[in-house]
Amino acid sequence: DAKTTQPNSMESNEEEPVHLPCNHSTISGTDYIHWYRQLPSQGPEYVIHGLTSNVNNRMASLAIAEDRKSSTLILHRATLRDAAVYYCILRGDYSGGGADGLTFGKGTHLIIQP
Amino acid sequence: DAGITQSPRYKITETGRQVTLMCHQTWSHSYMFWYRQDLGHGLRLIYYSAAADITDKGEVPDGYVVSRSKTENFPLTLESATRSQTSVYFCASSESWGLVTDTQYFGPGTRLTVL
């Protein structure tokens, strides 16, 4: 499976934008980039996913590099409630039938300062 | 409430005892999953189910048993608990899981301690 690399932790201030990077240099052409986050003492929750074009939803934006070897999750205006571990996960055509579930790495621990 | 729930939220047991962790979802999702989360390992898949009466092993199935007689329930049983099974267990569900765009919805987790 293609792997992802994320910084262990990042710190940001409340009400400022946050850019969470993810490197995936071995990504294949059909791999989708998914982001999940895990708030303290909760289960992971889906944030966003994309293939090539930048994507936006109510939670965040996903910016994907032109060569697709990296991506950035953007929280436009971080709040204290955005403090969580953010996971960048690749899913490709080989991920059929649920046999592999989701492959979580260690993610990035985002700290928000008031 | 609608969604995915797990019970109990916290459980302390002793080595050798049988323990069952419950998972219930109200969306009628076909797929359900069990993960465990340990420090240094992230989340790892234990078992999954594609539909009622269809289950299969994930990455770390040893020591666990699952069943799925109803679509909405997916219990996980530790037949003889060991200290190495001390972990946080998460249940998840998905309407489908064959497409690379499919997503999972997670429950709040059960923190299990085996003494």
Side-chain angles (χ1 to χ4, degrees):
Chain A
D1 293 352
K3 293 188 176 179
T4 63
T5 304
Q6 300 177 252
N8 287 334
S9 65
M10 290 184 64
E11 199 167 314
S12 184
N13 295 319
E14 196 176 12
E15 299 186 3
E16 289 186 357
V18 179
H19 291 236
L20 295 162
C22 180
N23 287 321
H24 28 78
S25 58
T26 60
I27 192 171
S28 73
T30 55
D31 284 347
Y32 270 74
I33 302 157
H34 289 246
W35 284 81
Y36 282 73
R37 73 178 185 180
Q38 186 173 18
L39 302 172
S41 301
Q42 295 189 29
E45 65 174 340
Y46 165 78
V47 177
I48 199 167
H49 72 267
L51 180 64
T52 55
S53 303
N54 294 345
V55 184
N56 301 292
N57 66 20
R58 64 175 181 81
M59 290 181 71
S61 295
L62 177 59
I64 302 172
E66 196 169 336
D67 63 5
R68 299 202 339 115
K69 293 185 176 181
S70 66
S71 60
T72 302
L73 180 71
I74 303 167
L75 306 179
H76 294 285
R77 195 161 170 267
T79 70
L80 295 177
R81 288 177 295 179
D82 291 319
V85 178
Y86 287 78
Y87 299 97
C88 172
I89 299 169
L90 301 183
R91 290 205 68 219
D93 279 344
Y94 48 81
S95 306
D100 59 339
L102 284 167
T103 301
F104 287 84
K106 295 186 178 179
T108 296
H109 184 199
L110 177 63
I111 299 165
I112 304 295
Q113 298 289 355
Chain B
D1 291 338
I4 184 164
T5 57
Q6 294 183 236
S7 61
R9 293 295 314 277
Y10 302 91
K11 176 73 175 178
I12 299 174
T13 190
E14 295 177 340
T15 301
R17 290 190 179 265
Q18 182 180 83
V19 177
T20 296
L21 309 184
M22 304 301 294
C23 178
H24 176 78
Q25 51 102 356
T26 60
W27 295 304
S28 298
H29 283 173
S30 295
Y31 286 84
M32 296 189 73
F33 307 81
W34 274 107
Y35 294 85
R36 60 178 289 174
Q37 185 172 34
D38 307 291
L39 284 174
H41 284 282
L43 280 87
R44 291 180 291 174
L45 183 67
I46 304 171
Y47 269 96
Y48 73 97
S49 169
D53 297 323
I54 300 175
T55 63
D56 209 343
K57 297 177 180 179
E59 180 186 354
V60 288
D62 293 343
Y64 303 95
V65 175
V66 293
S67 61
R68 194 163 176 212
S69 57
K70 294 183 177 181
T71 298
E72 61 267 30
N73 297 323
F74 191 36
L76 176 74
T77 297
L78 289 65
E79 291 191 304
S80 179
T82 65
R83 290 199 180 98
S84 65
Q85 292 177 310
T86 292
S87 187
V88 181
Y89 291 85
F90 290 100
C91 178
S93 71
S94 181
E95 186 174 13
S96 62
W97 196 237
L99 300 176
V100 294
T101 52
D102 290 329
T103 59
Q104 292 186 7
Y105 299 86
F106 285 80
T110 294
R111 183 175 293 275
L112 175 68
T113 301
V114 182
L115 301 177

